[in-house]
Protein backbone atom coordinates (compact mmCIF):
# COMPACT_ATOMS: atom_id res chain seq x y z
CA UNK A 1 0.00 0.00 0.00
CA UNK A 2 1.15 3.59 -0.58
CA UNK A 3 2.33 5.87 2.20
CA UNK A 4 -0.34 7.69 4.19
CA UNK A 5 -1.21 11.14 2.87
CA UNK A 6 -2.91 12.30 6.06
CA UNK A 7 -3.77 10.90 9.47
CA UNK A 8 -6.55 11.86 11.84
CA UNK A 9 -9.96 10.52 12.82
CA UNK A 10 -13.52 10.20 11.58
CA UNK A 11 -15.89 12.04 13.91
CA UNK A 12 -19.27 10.29 13.79
CA UNK A 13 -21.54 11.72 16.50
CA UNK A 14 -19.75 10.78 19.73
CA UNK A 15 -17.75 8.07 17.96
CA UNK A 16 -14.14 8.71 16.99
CA UNK A 17 -12.39 6.39 14.52
CA UNK A 18 -8.61 6.80 14.10
CA UNK A 19 -7.77 6.50 10.39
CA UNK A 20 -5.10 7.12 7.77
CA UNK A 21 -5.79 8.52 4.31
CA UNK A 22 -4.33 6.53 1.39
CA UNK A 23 -4.51 7.25 -2.32
CA UNK A 24 -7.07 4.97 -3.99
CA UNK A 25 -5.64 5.33 -7.50
CA UNK A 26 -2.21 5.06 -9.13
CA UNK A 27 -0.68 7.01 -11.99
CA UNK A 28 0.74 4.61 -14.58
CA UNK A 29 1.51 7.33 -17.12
CA UNK A 30 5.03 7.58 -18.50
CA UNK A 31 6.67 10.85 -17.48
CA UNK A 32 9.47 12.53 -19.42
CA UNK A 33 12.28 14.85 -18.35
CA UNK A 34 13.24 17.99 -20.22
CA UNK A 35 16.75 17.36 -21.55
CA UNK A 36 19.43 19.04 -23.61
CA UNK A 37 19.41 16.92 -26.79
CA UNK A 38 23.14 17.46 -27.43
CA UNK A 39 24.30 15.66 -24.27
CA UNK A 40 21.06 14.48 -22.57
CA UNK A 41 21.71 16.75 -19.59
CA UNK A 42 18.60 17.51 -17.56
CA UNK A 43 17.12 20.98 -18.08
CA UNK A 44 15.63 22.50 -14.92
CA UNK A 45 13.33 25.45 -14.42
CA UNK A 46 15.01 28.55 -12.98
CA UNK A 47 13.16 30.77 -10.49
CA UNK A 48 13.71 34.28 -11.81
CA UNK A 49 12.12 37.53 -10.64
CA UNK A 50 10.09 39.12 -13.43
CA UNK A 51 11.13 42.66 -12.36
CA UNK A 52 14.91 42.57 -11.87
CA UNK A 53 15.62 39.36 -13.80
CA UNK A 54 17.64 37.93 -10.91
CA UNK A 55 17.46 34.26 -9.90
CA UNK A 56 16.04 33.86 -6.41
CA UNK A 57 16.45 31.12 -3.80
CA UNK A 58 13.60 29.19 -2.15
CA UNK A 59 14.11 31.24 1.04
CA UNK A 60 13.33 34.41 -0.92
CA UNK A 61 10.08 33.06 -2.39
CA UNK A 62 6.76 33.65 -0.65
CA UNK A 63 3.05 33.84 -1.45
CA UNK A 64 1.23 36.84 -2.86
CA UNK A 65 -2.36 37.53 -3.92
CA UNK A 66 -3.03 39.71 -6.95
CA UNK A 67 -5.84 42.08 -5.95
CA UNK A 68 -5.63 43.76 -9.35
CA UNK A 69 -2.99 44.18 -12.01
CA UNK A 70 0.28 45.48 -10.54
CA UNK A 71 -1.15 45.29 -7.01
CA UNK A 72 -0.03 42.12 -5.22
CA UNK A 73 -0.28 41.75 -1.45
CA UNK A 74 1.99 39.36 0.49
CA UNK A 75 0.47 36.53 2.54
CA UNK A 76 2.81 34.88 5.04
CA UNK A 77 2.84 31.24 6.11
CA UNK A 78 2.15 32.36 9.70
CA UNK A 79 -1.00 34.19 8.57
CA UNK A 80 -2.18 31.08 6.74
CA UNK A 81 -1.46 28.96 9.80
CA UNK A 82 -3.74 31.22 11.87
CA UNK A 83 -6.71 30.62 9.54
CA UNK A 84 -9.54 28.70 11.27
CA UNK A 85 -9.49 25.02 10.26
CA UNK A 86 -11.62 23.18 12.83
CA UNK A 87 -11.40 19.99 10.74
CA UNK A 88 -7.60 19.99 10.59
CA UNK A 89 -7.28 16.49 12.09
CA UNK A 90 -10.80 15.15 11.71
CA UNK A 91 -13.16 13.99 9.01
CA UNK A 92 -16.31 15.42 10.55
CA UNK A 93 -19.50 13.69 9.36
CA UNK A 94 -22.20 16.38 9.12
CA UNK A 95 -25.04 14.63 7.23
CA UNK A 96 -26.20 11.47 5.45
CA UNK A 97 -27.74 11.37 1.98
CA UNK A 98 -29.03 8.78 -0.49
CA UNK A 99 -26.15 7.67 -2.70
CA UNK A 100 -28.27 8.08 -5.83
CA UNK A 101 -28.77 11.80 -5.15
CA UNK A 102 -25.08 12.67 -5.53
CA UNK A 103 -24.19 14.41 -8.80
CA UNK A 104 -21.09 12.57 -10.09
CA UNK A 105 -19.62 15.81 -11.41
CA UNK A 106 -19.20 16.89 -7.79
CA UNK A 107 -16.74 14.05 -7.07
CA UNK A 108 -12.98 14.50 -7.35
CA UNK A 109 -9.91 12.65 -6.00
CA UNK A 110 -10.65 9.38 -4.20
CA UNK A 111 -8.93 8.04 -1.07
CA UNK A 112 -9.10 4.85 0.99
CA UNK A 113 -9.58 5.16 4.74
CA UNK A 114 -7.44 2.75 6.75
CA UNK A 115 -8.38 1.98 10.36
CA UNK A 116 -5.47 2.67 12.71
CA UNK A 117 -4.96 0.17 15.52
CA UNK A 118 -7.26 -2.35 17.14
CA UNK A 119 -9.29 0.36 18.85
CA UNK A 120 -10.48 1.60 15.43
CA UNK A 121 -11.59 -1.79 14.07
CA UNK A 122 -15.02 -1.95 15.74
CA UNK A 123 -16.27 1.63 15.11
CA UNK A 124 -14.82 1.50 11.56
CA UNK A 125 -16.76 -1.70 10.83
CA UNK A 126 -19.87 -0.28 12.51
CA UNK A 127 -19.95 2.82 10.29
CA UNK A 128 -19.16 0.76 7.19
CA UNK A 129 -22.01 -1.68 7.81
CA UNK A 130 -24.42 1.15 8.62
CA UNK A 131 -23.61 2.80 5.29
CA UNK A 132 -24.04 -0.50 3.44
CA UNK A 133 -27.41 -1.41 4.96
CA UNK A 134 -28.90 2.06 4.66
CA UNK A 135 -27.70 2.67 1.07
CA UNK A 136 -26.59 6.05 2.35
CA UNK A 137 -23.39 8.05 1.97
CA UNK A 138 -21.97 10.43 4.55
CA UNK A 139 -21.24 14.08 3.83
CA UNK A 140 -18.17 15.19 5.74
CA UNK A 141 -15.89 18.18 6.21
CA UNK A 142 -12.13 17.80 6.49
CA UNK A 143 -8.93 19.76 5.87
CA UNK A 144 -6.23 18.71 3.43
CA UNK A 145 -3.26 20.61 1.99
CA UNK A 146 -4.08 23.83 3.77
CA UNK A 147 -7.77 24.25 3.00
CA UNK A 148 -11.13 22.98 4.19
CA UNK A 149 -12.81 20.50 1.89
CA UNK A 150 -16.12 18.74 1.46
CA UNK A 151 -16.14 14.97 1.13
CA UNK A 152 -18.35 11.95 0.60
CA UNK A 153 -17.85 8.76 2.62
CA UNK A 154 -18.92 5.56 0.87
CA UNK A 155 -18.04 1.86 0.87
CA UNK A 156 -16.01 -0.27 -1.55
CA UNK A 157 -15.99 -3.95 -0.65
CA UNK A 158 -14.84 -4.01 3.00
CA UNK A 159 -13.17 -0.61 3.06
CA UNK A 160 -14.44 2.92 3.47
CA UNK A 161 -13.70 5.45 0.77
CA UNK A 162 -13.47 9.23 0.91
CA UNK A 163 -14.35 11.09 -2.29
CA UNK A 164 -13.25 14.69 -2.39
CA UNK A 165 -16.22 16.86 -3.44
CA UNK A 166 -16.32 20.18 -5.22
CA UNK A 167 -18.11 22.94 -3.35
CA UNK A 168 -21.43 23.96 -4.96
CA UNK A 169 -20.03 27.26 -6.27
CA UNK A 170 -17.20 25.40 -8.05
CA UNK A 171 -19.58 23.67 -10.48
CA UNK A 172 -20.09 25.61 -13.69
CA UNK A 173 -23.58 25.99 -15.12
CA UNK A 174 -23.81 23.90 -18.34
CA UNK A 175 -26.92 25.74 -19.59
CA UNK A 176 -24.97 27.76 -22.16
CA UNK A 177 -23.59 24.54 -23.70
CA UNK A 178 -27.00 23.05 -24.51
CA UNK A 179 -27.57 23.05 -28.31
CA UNK A 180 -30.59 24.67 -29.92
CA UNK A 181 -33.78 22.57 -29.94
CA UNK A 182 -33.98 20.04 -32.79
CA UNK A 183 -36.71 17.74 -34.07
CA UNK A 184 -36.08 14.03 -33.51
CA UNK A 185 -37.96 11.20 -35.16
CA UNK A 186 -39.21 8.45 -32.83
CA UNK A 187 -37.49 5.89 -35.04
CA UNK A 188 -34.14 7.61 -34.54
CA UNK A 189 -34.54 7.41 -30.76
CA UNK A 190 -35.45 3.71 -31.05
CA UNK A 191 -32.35 3.02 -33.15
CA UNK A 192 -30.17 4.83 -30.59
CA UNK A 193 -31.67 2.64 -27.84
CA UNK A 194 -31.02 -0.47 -29.93
CA UNK A 195 -27.40 0.60 -30.37
CA UNK A 196 -27.09 1.08 -26.60
CA UNK A 197 -28.50 -2.42 -26.04
CA UNK A 198 -25.80 -3.95 -28.25
CA UNK A 199 -23.06 -2.13 -26.30
CA UNK A 200 -24.12 -2.99 -22.73
CA UNK A 201 -21.37 -4.40 -20.48
CA UNK A 202 -21.62 -5.91 -17.02
CA UNK A 203 -17.98 -5.15 -16.21
CA UNK A 204 -15.59 -2.42 -17.44
CA UNK A 205 -12.42 -3.98 -16.00
CA UNK A 206 -11.37 -5.23 -19.44
CA UNK A 207 -10.45 -1.77 -20.74
CA UNK A 208 -6.75 -0.92 -20.95
CA UNK A 209 -4.53 2.03 -21.87
CA UNK A 210 -3.31 1.14 -25.37
CA UNK A 211 -1.37 4.41 -25.71
CA UNK A 212 0.74 3.82 -22.57
CA UNK A 213 1.37 0.19 -23.58
CA UNK A 214 2.65 1.33 -26.99
CA UNK A 215 4.79 4.02 -25.34
CA UNK A 216 6.31 1.46 -22.95
CA UNK A 217 7.29 -0.72 -25.94
CA UNK A 218 8.87 2.31 -27.61
CA UNK A 219 10.92 3.16 -24.49
CA UNK A 220 11.95 -0.49 -24.01
CA UNK A 221 13.09 -0.84 -27.61
CA UNK A 222 15.13 2.38 -27.56
CA UNK A 223 16.68 1.45 -24.21
CA UNK A 224 17.90 -1.81 -25.79
CA UNK A 225 19.30 0.05 -28.79
CA UNK A 226 16.70 -1.38 -31.15
CA UNK A 227 14.72 0.40 -33.82
CA UNK A 228 11.15 0.55 -32.53
CA UNK A 229 8.50 -0.85 -34.83
CA UNK A 230 5.97 1.69 -35.98
CA UNK A 231 2.66 1.12 -34.20
CA UNK A 232 -0.24 0.06 -36.36
CA UNK A 233 -2.72 2.88 -36.60
CA UNK A 234 -6.36 2.22 -37.27
CA UNK A 235 -7.49 3.42 -40.68
CA UNK A 236 -9.50 6.60 -40.37
CA UNK A 237 -12.89 6.60 -41.98
CA UNK A 238 -13.40 9.22 -44.62
CA UNK A 239 -15.61 12.10 -43.56
CA UNK A 240 -18.98 12.00 -45.28
CA UNK A 241 -22.43 13.34 -44.58
CA UNK A 242 -24.87 10.51 -43.89
CA UNK A 243 -28.47 10.17 -42.88
CA UNK A 244 -28.65 9.90 -39.08
CA UNK A 245 -31.05 6.95 -39.33
CA UNK A 246 -28.68 5.09 -41.68
CA UNK A 247 -25.72 5.82 -39.42
CA UNK A 248 -27.58 4.42 -36.40
CA UNK A 249 -28.69 1.35 -38.36
CA UNK A 250 -25.11 0.68 -39.56
CA UNK A 251 -23.79 1.16 -36.02
CA UNK A 252 -26.25 -1.41 -34.65
CA UNK A 253 -25.17 -3.93 -37.30
CA UNK A 254 -21.45 -3.34 -36.63
CA UNK A 255 -21.88 -3.58 -32.86
CA UNK A 256 -23.70 -6.89 -33.21
CA UNK A 257 -21.02 -8.30 -35.50
CA UNK A 258 -18.26 -7.24 -33.10
CA UNK A 259 -20.01 -9.21 -30.34
CA UNK A 260 -20.36 -12.28 -32.56
CA UNK A 261 -24.09 -11.85 -32.99
CA UNK A 262 -26.10 -11.97 -36.17
CA UNK A 263 -27.03 -8.51 -37.36
CA UNK A 264 -30.00 -9.67 -39.41
CA UNK A 265 -32.55 -9.20 -36.66
CA UNK A 266 -31.44 -5.66 -35.81
CA UNK A 267 -34.09 -4.10 -38.03
CA UNK A 268 -36.86 -6.69 -37.80
CA UNK A 269 -37.66 -6.71 -34.09
CA UNK A 270 -38.00 -2.91 -33.75
CA UNK A 271 -39.93 -2.12 -36.93
CA UNK A 272 -43.49 -2.82 -35.70
CA UNK A 273 -43.11 -0.33 -32.84
CA UNK A 274 -41.61 2.29 -35.08
CA UNK A 275 -44.34 1.99 -37.74
CA UNK A 276 -46.99 2.41 -35.13
CA UNK A 277 -45.53 5.67 -33.77
CA UNK A 278 -44.84 7.25 -37.16
CA UNK A 279 -48.15 6.28 -38.75
CA UNK A 280 -49.87 8.99 -36.73
CA UNK A 281 -47.98 11.69 -38.63
CA UNK A 282 -48.01 10.31 -42.20
CA UNK A 283 -49.81 7.78 -44.41
CA UNK A 284 -48.67 4.17 -44.16
CA UNK A 285 -46.94 4.40 -47.54
CA UNK A 286 -44.63 7.20 -46.45
CA UNK A 287 -43.91 5.55 -43.09
CA UNK A 288 -42.70 2.40 -44.87
CA UNK A 289 -40.12 4.43 -46.81
CA UNK A 290 -38.38 5.70 -43.69
CA UNK A 291 -36.20 2.62 -43.24
CA UNK A 292 -34.31 3.09 -46.48
CA UNK A 293 -34.58 6.50 -48.15
CA UNK A 294 -35.42 9.01 -45.48
CA UNK A 295 -34.49 12.63 -46.21
CA UNK A 296 -31.29 13.59 -44.29
CA UNK A 297 -31.80 15.45 -41.02
CA UNK A 298 -29.40 17.68 -39.18
CA UNK A 299 -29.15 17.09 -35.43
Amino acid sequence: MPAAIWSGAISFGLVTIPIRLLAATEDHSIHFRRVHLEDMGRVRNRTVCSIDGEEVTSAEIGKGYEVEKDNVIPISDDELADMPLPTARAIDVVAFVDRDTIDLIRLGQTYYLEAVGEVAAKPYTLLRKALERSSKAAIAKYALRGRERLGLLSVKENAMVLHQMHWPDEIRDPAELVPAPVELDEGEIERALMLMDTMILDDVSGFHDAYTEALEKLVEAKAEGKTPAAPKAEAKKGGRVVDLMSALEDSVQQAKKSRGESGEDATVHAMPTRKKTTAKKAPAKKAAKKTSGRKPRTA
Side-chain angles (χ1 to χ4, degrees):
M1 291 295 286
I5 296 170
W6 178 94
S7 61
I10 299 174
S11 176
F12 169 44
L14 298 178
V15 178
T16 299
I17 311 171
I19 55 96
R20 279 194 291 258
L21 203 66
L22 308 172
T25 58
E26 295 177 323
D27 180 11
H28 290 167
S29 301
I30 292 178
H31 300 278
F32 299 104
R33 291 181 175 181
R34 297 171 67 222
V35 297
H36 181 200
L37 293 177
E38 184 175 327
D39 53 17
M40 289 296 110
R42 187 170 182 178
V43 176
R44 302 181 184 274
N45 293 326
R46 295 176 61 215
T47 50
V48 178
C49 177
S50 62
I51 296 178
D52 59 23
E54 296 292 327
E55 187 168 358
V56 295
T57 65
S58 57
E60 298 174 293
I61 299 175
K63 297 179 177 67
Y65 181 81
E66 186 175 308
V67 180
E68 54 189 17
K69 190 176 181 181
D70 299 326
N71 182 15
V72 179
I73 57 173
I75 303 294
S76 71
D77 290 337
D78 289 339
E79 289 170 325
L80 291 174
D82 289 337
M83 291 293 100
L85 274 180
T87 55
R89 282 295 166 190
I91 298 175
D92 188 15
V93 175
V94 295
F96 291 91
V97 297
D98 290 330
R99 285 198 293 256
D100 295 340
T101 64
I102 299 299
D103 184 355
L104 296 182
I105 201 171
R106 296 280 304 274
L107 303 182
Q109 181 66 48
T110 304
Y111 305 95
Y112 286 133
L113 299 179
E114 178 190 25
V116 178
E118 293 182 8
V119 68
K122 187 170 182 177
Y124 183 99
T125 306
L126 172 65
L127 179 55
R128 190 200 76 212
K129 285 188 175 294
L131 291 173
E132 286 176 333
R133 292 193 185 184
S134 64
S135 297
K136 302 287 185 186
I139 301 295
K141 284 186 174 184
Y142 66 103
L144 184 64
R145 298 189 176 100
R147 60 169 292 191
E148 189 170 46
R149 302 179 187 273
L150 195 64
L152 183 79
L153 279 176
S154 64
V155 177
K156 177 177 173 57
E157 297 175 3
N158 290 324
M160 279 197 292
V161 178
L162 175 67
H163 307 272
Q164 182 177 311
M165 294 183 71
H166 297 288
W167 295 97
D169 62 355
E170 293 177 331
I171 305 300
R172 294 172 177 163
D173 186 357
E176 62 185 28
L177 306 177
V178 179
V182 296
E183 182 182 346
L184 282 176
D185 182 84
E186 185 64 27
E188 292 168 341
I189 299 175
E190 289 174 8
R191 284 299 185 281
L193 292 173
M194 288 171 58
L195 177 57
M196 290 171 62
D197 287 341
T198 63
M199 298 175 69
I200 290 175
L201 288 178
D202 295 326
D203 181 19
V204 296
S205 61
F207 289 103
H208 64 282
D209 184 354
Y211 174 82
T212 299
E213 290 177 359
L215 193 55
E216 287 173 347
K217 291 179 181 178
L218 170 65
V219 171
E220 183 180 350
K222 298 197 74 172
E224 295 174 355
K226 300 177 181 177
T227 301
K232 295 180 181 179
E234 293 185 6
K236 293 184 178 180
K237 297 177 181 178
R240 59 191 179 98
V241 179
V242 296
D243 176 18
L244 179 57
M245 180 66 75
S246 299
L248 287 169
E249 185 68 41
D250 290 344
S251 299
V252 171
Q253 301 287 351
Q254 289 178 11
K256 280 182 170 288
K257 288 178 182 177
S258 69
R259 294 168 69 99
E261 301 174 15
S262 171
E264 296 178 358
D265 62 339
T267 302
V268 177
H269 78 273
M271 285 306 294
T273 305
R274 183 169 168 259
K275 283 183 177 179
K276 186 176 179 181
T277 56
T278 55
K280 295 178 181 179
K281 298 181 180 179
K285 237 180 217 182
K286 291 185 179 178
K289 290 181 181 178
K290 285 186 179 179
T291 57
S292 56
R294 185 171 181 81
K295 184 179 178 182
R297 288 180 180 272
T298 56

